[in-house]
Amino acid sequence: MTCVPWPGHGAAVRTPCWPGSLTRLPAAICPPTDVTSSRCADRWSRRSTCSTPCRNQAMVDVLVFGPHPDDIEICAGGLVLTLVERGYTVGGVDLTGGESGTRGDAHTRHAEGQRGAELLGLSFRECLGLADGGIRNDEPSRDLVIDVIRRHTPRLVVAPVAIDHHPDHSRSGVLVKEARFLAGCARIGPPGAPHRPGRTLFYPSRELVEPSLIVDISDVFDAKLRAVRAHASQLHAAGSDELPTMIASEGFLTMIEARARHYGAQIGVTHGEPFVVDGPLAVNDPVPAVRDGPQSVFL
C-alpha cells in the first residue's frame, strides 16, 4: 500500500489531520507500513493540518466504523472475527482518535487500536481525525466518510445505532448512514468514483434494542475479549489512581459477556451480537437462514 495525495487537489489544499494535544502523532490514516514514510510521519503536530493526506486504497467487503478506537472491538468485534474467519476482507475506520478520553493519550490509543486491529484480523485501520467528543454530521465530516467509502468500495457498512446515550455514537450513526447514501451520488462530495454500499448494519452500545439480526459469535467470543483487552488504558487496573469510567470499572468485561449471553440466548447459542437494519432484507432463499439452527443471512 502507498500513500497518495487527495485526488484532484494540489499541495496547497489544507485538510485536517488528527486533532490532539501531543507534539507529534502517528499517521493513523496510513497503513502501518507507511507510518515511517517521510510523506506521512512528519506531518503530525499539535492541532496540525496535513497538506498531502495519506490515503489507503485497499478494497474490502465490509467497512466497520467506530466513533473511538475501542468501539469496533467492544460492539462489533465478534462480527468482524466471524467475517474474517469466513474469508471476507474487513476494514476498520475510527472517526476520532479518542484523544479527549478520560484515560489514555493519543499515542497510547493509536497503538492499542493497531493491536486491536491485528487481533481482529482487520485488513487496515484508519482514523479520520474528527474531534473526540465533538463529532458532527456536517458537510466536511460527511465528505471524509464519503471519501473513505469510495476508496474502499465495501459491500456492507457497519456503524453505531443512532439512539446511543453518548453523543459521539448517536451522531456517528446518522453521519455514516447519510454518507453511505451520498457516496453513491456522483456530483456530491470529494472527487472519486461514486459507490453506494448495499446496506448498513447498526450496532448498539449499552442500549437494549430489538435486533433485526443476531450474529452467533460463540466460537470467537474469547478472541473478541482479547481484542477488547488490547485497549488496556481504558480498562480496570488494580491500584490505579486515574479517574473512574464505566469502561474502567472492574466488572466491565463481565458486562460484555452478560450482554453477549443475553442476545445469544435469543437465538439458542451461548454468545451473540445484535444488529439493526433499516428496512426489510431481501432474501432469495430463506432456508439457509433457518436450517441447522439460527444463522444470519449475511454470513
Side-chain angles (χ1 to χ4, degrees):
M1 298 179 185
T2 58
C3 293
V4 297
W6 195 278
H9 294 296
V13 175
R14 307 291 289 178
T15 302
C17 288
W18 188 337
S21 58
L22 299 181
T23 302
R24 178 170 165 175
L25 298 176
I29 60 172
C30 299
T33 53
D34 292 322
V35 171
T36 57
S37 166
S38 61
R39 296 178 60 190
C40 304
D42 293 334
R43 297 186 183 276
W44 300 88
S45 61
R46 182 186 300 271
R47 299 202 178 276
S48 67
T49 57
C50 181
S51 60
T52 313
C54 305
R55 305 174 65 254
N56 181 348
Q57 302 286 332
M59 292 185 290
V60 292
D61 297 309
V62 182
L63 196 58
V64 186
F65 288 86
H68 311 104
D70 53 4
D71 288 317
I72 293 175
E73 287 86 339
I74 293 171
C75 300
L79 171 69
V80 172
L81 287 160
T82 300
L83 291 171
V84 170
E85 190 175 79
R86 291 175 179 250
Y88 293 101
T89 53
V90 184
V93 179
D94 299 324
L95 296 179
T96 80
E99 70 280 353
S100 298
T102 303
R103 293 175 171 230
D105 55 40
H107 271 297
T108 300
R109 302 209 67 182
H110 169 77
E112 291 173 345
Q114 293 303 316
R115 177 57 178 159
E118 293 173 4
L119 291 170
L120 290 180
L122 291 174
S123 298
F124 61 84
R125 189 170 206 156
E126 300 184 21
C127 176
L128 295 191
L130 301 183
D132 184 12
I135 291 177
R136 297 288 184 270
N137 181 25
D138 54 20
E139 185 174 356
S141 300
R142 283 194 299 274
D143 280 354
L144 286 172
V145 179
I146 288 170
D147 174 71
V148 80
I149 289 173
R150 288 176 176 171
R151 280 191 281 120
H152 299 302
T153 63
R155 297 162 54 189
L156 178 68
V157 165
V158 184
V161 70
I163 53 170
D164 197 277
H165 70 288
H166 193 314
D168 273 355
H169 286 234
S170 56
R171 291 170 183 165
S172 295
V174 177
L175 171 62
V176 174
K177 177 182 178 179
E178 294 190 5
R180 181 206 71 89
F181 180 86
L182 295 175
C185 301
R187 296 185 178 181
I188 294 178
H195 173 77
R196 182 176 297 147
R199 298 302 288 267
T200 303
L201 292 185
F202 297 98
Y203 58 77
S205 176
R206 282 194 294 174
E207 286 67 20
L208 289 176
V209 301
E210 184 64 33
S212 304
L213 58 93
I214 298 173
V215 177
D216 179 2
I217 63 167
S218 305
D219 292 340
V220 299
F221 182 73
D222 289 342
K224 167 178 172 159
L225 283 187
R226 285 194 292 272
V228 172
R229 289 191 181 99
H231 298 271
S233 69
Q234 306 302 298
L235 300 176
H236 176 74
S240 172
D241 58 359
E242 293 187 271
L243 293 173
T245 67
M246 183 197 72
I247 295 179
S249 65
E250 190 170 359
F252 179 69
L253 295 179
T254 302
M255 295 179 196
I256 291 180
E257 180 164 13
R259 182 180 182 84
R261 287 187 176 276
H262 167 76
Y263 284 108
Q266 294 186 38
I267 59 171
V269 300
T270 58
H271 299 84
E273 276 182 350
F275 296 90
V276 177
V277 183
D278 284 344
L281 297 173
V283 179
N284 293 327
D285 180 4
V287 174
V290 296
R291 184 179 55 202
D292 298 326
Q295 298 177 26
S296 166
V297 296
F298 278 102
L299 304 180

